[in-house]
């Protein structure tokens, strides 16, 4: 399963945040979709554990 931290935000107060994208498989159809969020740098590992 592809998991990747894509980009670190580099403007102003965004240096402490990261944009992360995770592929999620639908239990009904089996199709994949992408879940995208902006999280703090400390929460990146927790985001991918879910």
């Amino acid at each position: 399963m592809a998991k990747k931290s894509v980009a670190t935000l580099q403007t102003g107060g965004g240096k402490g945040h990261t944009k992360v994208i995770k592929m999620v498989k639908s239990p009904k159809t089996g199709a994949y979709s992408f879940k995208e969020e902006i999280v703090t740098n400390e929460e990146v590992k927790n985001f991918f554990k879910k």
Side-chain angles (χ1 to χ4, degrees):
M1 186 170 189
K3 298 178 185 179
K4 194 179 261 190
S5 173
V6 177
T8 301
L9 304 173
Q10 296 295 324
T11 58
K15 291 183 181 180
H17 294 78
T18 302
K19 181 178 181 181
V20 289
I21 300 173
K22 175 170 57 173
M23 278 180 36
V24 180
K25 186 175 182 179
S26 170
K28 280 187 173 181
T29 63
Y32 286 95
S33 63
F34 294 96
K35 181 178 179 185
E36 185 176 332
E37 277 187 42
I38 296 176
V39 298
T40 60
N41 291 340
E42 294 81 25
E43 295 293 322
V44 172
K45 288 185 181 181
N46 291 334
F47 176 81
F48 288 125
K49 286 182 182 179
K50 295 180 188 176

